[in-house]
Amino acid sequence: MPAGIGVPDAGYGGGGVRYDEFVAKVRDRGEYADPAEAERVTHLVLGILAQRLTPDEAEDLAAQLPGPLAATLISAGQGAAGAFGAREFLGRVATGAGASARTAEWDASAVLCTVAEAISGGELNDVLTQLPSGYAPLFGRAGLSG
């Protein structure tokens, strides 16, 4: 990770969850064959999410996640936030993973529900505020969809 970003290189981030624990939760939730697949999907989904958030919000989210995930969010979250909805988000996940739309939804939910558990409620609200309501179910918050 580049110096000066202010996020730990590995292990713990600001939220207290360890990288290996986060990936293990994604692996269990997504029923992936091995940690490498869960890790690949995690970085893909977070990279695409970061493109949808403002750079400041991507950095705020990064501060609550382990270093390697924080680095993905910060590097992918540079520039203006994209204005794409949940359907396009899932399309980008599908393209990046070489998967079907149904599999992309499964992948995104495995990662984003794990994010929702790992960060503070206030940060989750901040993230969801920047996203159209179609994203809330991907975070396991279907009651917030509009």
Side-chain angles (χ1 to χ4, degrees):
M1 181 169 167
I5 298 277
V7 180
D9 206 10
Y12 287 98
V17 65
R18 290 182 48 88
Y19 180 73
D20 58 341
E21 292 169 350
F22 189 99
V23 172
K25 287 181 182 183
V26 170
R27 180 182 180 192
D28 289 345
R29 184 173 267 132
E31 300 176 7
Y32 299 110
D34 57 50
E37 183 180 8
E39 195 171 23
R40 180 184 58 79
V41 167
T42 298
H43 286 277
L44 171 68
V45 170
L46 291 179
I48 295 168
L49 177 65
Q51 295 169 13
R52 182 58 180 81
L53 301 173
T54 64
D56 286 345
E57 189 55 46
E59 288 181 18
D60 289 348
L61 178 57
Q64 294 195 20
L65 293 174
L69 303 180
T72 293
L73 283 161
I74 290 169
S75 66
Q78 300 303 308
F84 50 90
R87 184 173 297 192
E88 185 176 339
F89 173 81
L90 293 173
R92 291 178 183 204
V93 172
T95 299
S100 70
R102 181 93 170 119
T103 300
E105 186 173 353
W106 180 268
D107 290 342
S109 290
V111 174
L112 297 178
C113 285
T114 305
V115 167
E117 290 176 353
I119 64 175
S120 71
E123 182 55 31
L124 179 59
N125 287 338
D126 289 349
V127 169
L128 290 174
T129 297
Q130 287 201 5
L131 303 171
S133 62
Y135 282 84
L138 298 173
F139 285 87
R141 303 299 191 267
L144 299 177
S145 61

